[in-house]
Amino acid sequence: MEGLGINPSMLIAQVINFGILFGLLYLVAYKPFMRMLDERSRRVKESMEQTEYIKQQAAKAEQETEKRIAEAGKKGQKIIDQAVKIGKEVGQKAQEEAKQKAEALITRARTEIRRERDEVISELRKEFAGLTILAAEKVIDRSLDKETHRQIIDQVLKESPGLKKG
Amino acid sequence: MPKRRLLGCSFPVLIGISVVFLVLLVVSFASGPLGAIMFPGVELPSWLSVPQPEPKLPAEAVFHPFGFPITNTMIAAWITMIFVVGLSYAITRRMKLVPGRLQAAFEFLIGWLYDLCREVAGNTDGRKFFPMIATIFLFVGFNAWLGLLPGFGSITVHAAEGEVHLLRPASTDINLPLALALISFVFVEVTALRRLGIGYLRKFFDVREFVSGLRQISKGRLKAGLPQLLTGALNIFTGLLEGFSELVRIVSLTIRLFGNMTAGEVLLLVTAFLVPWVLAVPFYGLELLIGYIQALIFAGLTLIFITFAATPHGEEAH
């Protein structure tokens, strides 16, 4: 034993050395290392979970979008159909209205024309009547001979130039 | 056109390095005792030659403060401790989630030991055993590696015992391997006892079969009792062997580490004496490897012992 150099106090000192080393390394190496390891694995787990969640969410969102798009397409089609129908109706109505209006216009124009014609005719008549009366007066006033008769008519015609033209 | 390069150097540089290397080799060879024998006429200045080493097994005391001898191996052990703890502290003081280079290297080494523990002992046990195993590995390994630094075995001081090396690799003093082996032994036994309770001791002293055999015989059933008695005796014997083998582990762990480290140290001293310079370098590489292997063996064996001891075996353990 002496030849090998075994020495109880040295042995105990080395055991203490190891103990100190163990304690210090535990504090400055193993504990931080483990903490870092745990932290990292926690983060990885978390991020993986998050990824999974996001993936699910994305799939859900995609489904939702597809559904919405389909719905919107349907709705749009419906609206278009409706619009076309309404448009047709409106067109028809407009056409009918236009026709009616045109007819009304034509009718009104016709009545107007007729009325005007009648007015003109009645005026003419009145004028004629006046003229006749005038002529009659003249006739009655004088003793008429053929010569005078002629004169009177010419005079009347001369006095009413409107009649001559019309 | 790219320059032609070899081993990362351009040719003129490479040739220069080779020449220096060869000159060193020749001078080194000639200045050693081998050269002196082969070329008796050549005389070189005496500062080139290395004095003949006188390896001693016990560590030499360098100082005697308060009457307590401080050996050179103790100083080396302290240097190792300071180095390892200081390095760890410097790295872990500001640990980042995304490691830098140094932290990555540190984490690689510690992580490798951690994975080793978990592979052998399982996830939960590996985590529990890991600090002890890692400390053994780091202490043994860095003791060996730091012992290769210049200064070890070359700086001498005057002490009571005469001219003494200031530094000597810590594991070349048998007290350190013995201390480690005792710690390893106590660690294994205490953990197993705490884990398996008093039943763990049955592994070393199993009298159940023997007692039940005795009972059978006392009841007069000789035919049933006798074989039981014999198996019981065998159990007691194997238990004793088991206990003996656990004790022998202390010796084998101690001597393996002590022997390897001392042999390595002596080898380095002798090569440094025979061929002081260039030719001694490969042996340093060898010692680097041996330091790693011894650390791995010591830590690995402790890990295996503790894993075996802490696992309940039941009856199939025979």
Side-chain angles (χ1 to χ4, degrees):
Chain A
M1 285 294 150
E2 269 304 304
L4 283 174
I6 294 177
N7 177 334
S9 62
M10 278 292 140
L11 189 64
I12 291 165
Q14 293 289 19
V15 170
I16 292 169
N17 273 353
F18 184 85
I20 293 169
L21 184 70
F22 180 85
L24 287 178
L25 276 184
Y26 190 83
L27 283 182
V28 303
Y30 309 139
K31 228 166 101 180
F33 171 76
M34 299 275 222
R35 210 172 44 219
M36 188 55 57
L37 212 66
D38 291 347
E39 168 77 11
R40 228 170 258 158
S41 71
R42 193 178 63 77
R43 288 246 178 145
V44 168
K45 211 170 128 195
E46 237 172 44
S47 71
M48 264 157 95
E49 272 168 9
Q50 218 159 21
T51 313
E52 197 59 34
Y53 177 73
I54 287 170
K55 236 191 233 163
Q56 277 180 4
Q57 211 71 351
K60 223 191 259 175
E62 205 176 336
Q63 263 182 358
E64 189 84 353
T65 313
E66 258 167 39
K67 221 169 82 184
R68 284 244 179 106
I69 288 173
E71 241 168 54
K74 248 187 245 166
K75 232 185 220 169
Q77 197 56 46
K78 220 161 114 189
I79 288 171
I80 289 171
D81 287 350
Q82 224 164 13
V84 166
K85 217 168 102 191
I86 289 172
K88 259 186 202 160
E89 271 170 22
V90 166
Q92 244 167 19
K93 229 182 199 170
Q95 223 171 4
E96 256 164 48
E97 240 165 57
K99 220 163 144 190
Q100 270 175 8
K101 243 183 208 166
E103 265 166 23
L105 218 63
I106 290 167
T107 329
R108 224 172 60 194
R110 268 198 195 130
T111 24
E112 192 83 356
I113 290 167
R114 197 166 293 147
R115 198 177 55 82
E116 241 161 64
R117 203 189 57 185
D118 287 357
E119 238 168 55
V120 169
I121 287 173
S122 72
E123 207 141 301
L124 265 180
R125 256 189 210 139
K126 257 185 223 165
E127 201 116 337
F128 244 134
L131 278 178
T132 315
I133 288 164
L134 209 69
E137 271 174 7
K138 297 256 163 116
V139 171
I140 291 162
D141 267 0
R142 288 174 205 180
S143 54
L144 294 173
D145 57 355
K146 211 174 179 183
E147 195 62 71
T148 330
H149 193 207
R150 184 83 253 171
Q151 251 178 326
I152 289 166
I153 289 173
D154 279 345
Q155 206 175 342
V156 169
L157 282 174
K158 219 182 268 174
E159 274 168 22
S160 58
L163 192 72
K164 208 178 169 182
K165 271 178 193 165
Chain B
M1 190 181 137
K3 250 183 169 176
R4 293 185 61 190
R5 295 166 89 85
L6 193 64
L7 298 173
C9 304
S10 60
F11 271 108
V13 174
L14 199 67
I15 289 166
I17 289 172
S18 320
V19 168
V20 171
F21 187 77
L22 277 176
V23 168
L24 275 177
L25 185 66
V26 169
V27 172
S28 134
F29 195 71
S31 65
L34 283 181
I37 293 165
M38 286 165 93
F39 316 106
V42 184
E43 277 289 331
L44 282 162
S46 63
W47 56 266
L48 277 175
S49 56
V50 174
Q52 188 168 356
E54 299 153 15
K56 275 179 270 174
L57 282 187
E60 299 94 341
V62 180
F63 309 113
H64 287 272
F66 316 115
F68 188 78
I70 303 293
T71 60
N72 42 18
T73 52
M74 186 62 77
I75 296 171
W78 287 338
I79 289 175
T80 305
M81 287 164 66
I82 291 167
F83 178 78
V84 174
V85 171
L87 195 68
S88 303
Y89 178 67
I91 291 169
T92 57
R93 197 174 38 155
R94 272 170 301 180
M95 259 192 143
K96 282 176 236 124
L97 206 63
V98 179
R101 274 186 210 175
L102 208 62
Q103 193 191 327
F106 171 80
E107 281 183 12
F108 172 75
L109 176 65
I110 303 287
W112 171 71
L113 286 166
Y114 184 57
D115 288 344
L116 185 77
C117 290
R118 287 198 313 176
E119 262 168 44
V120 174
N123 260 350
T124 42
D125 276 357
R127 205 180 161 105
K128 269 177 214 150
F129 303 155
F130 155 69
M132 179 57 89
I133 304 300
T135 310
I136 290 176
F137 181 90
L138 293 176
F139 200 29
V140 174
F142 278 100
N143 267 333
W145 295 326
L146 292 181
L148 300 177
L149 288 177
F152 277 80
S154 53
I155 302 172
T156 55
V157 288
H158 291 288
E161 300 166 23
E163 201 82 351
V164 169
H165 292 306
L166 178 62
L167 298 167
R168 180 174 146 182
S171 302
T172 62
D173 176 358
I174 196 162
N175 291 308
L176 177 63
L178 186 58
L180 286 179
L182 285 173
I183 288 166
S184 158
F185 175 78
V186 170
F187 172 61
V188 168
E189 302 306 323
V190 168
T191 310
L193 257 178
R194 273 173 50 184
R195 189 66 62 84
L196 305 177
I198 206 76
Y200 172 67
L201 294 179
R202 210 174 280 145
K203 183 170 142 195
F204 308 116
F205 198 67
D206 189 359
V207 292
R208 286 173 302 174
E209 200 92 346
F210 192 74
V211 169
S212 82
L214 273 183
R215 204 172 289 147
Q216 295 276 0
I217 287 172
S218 69
K219 280 177 188 166
R221 278 176 283 190
L222 205 65
K223 210 169 180 185
L226 208 57
Q228 244 180 347
L229 202 68
L230 283 177
T231 359
L234 204 62
N235 277 356
I236 291 172
F237 180 66
T238 51
L240 288 177
L241 272 188
E242 192 85 38
F244 184 67
S245 80
E246 305 247 334
L247 288 175
V248 165
R249 278 178 196 169
I250 302 175
V251 179
S252 74
L253 279 175
T254 308
I255 299 295
R256 183 183 303 112
L257 182 57
F258 172 63
N260 271 292
M261 287 301 127
T262 310
E265 176 68 5
V266 171
L267 176 68
L268 288 185
L269 286 176
V270 169
T271 47
F273 165 65
L274 290 179
V275 270
W277 297 340
V278 179
L279 280 179
V281 170
F283 293 98
Y284 277 85
L286 182 70
E287 284 312 305
L288 213 56
L289 184 66
I290 285 178
Y292 163 72
I293 290 171
Q294 287 308 318
L296 186 60
I297 286 176
F298 209 113
L301 278 179
T302 304
L303 179 59
I304 288 165
F305 292 157
I306 182 67
T307 308
F308 273 137
T311 325
H313 282 280
E315 284 305 303
E316 84 275 33
H318 299 293

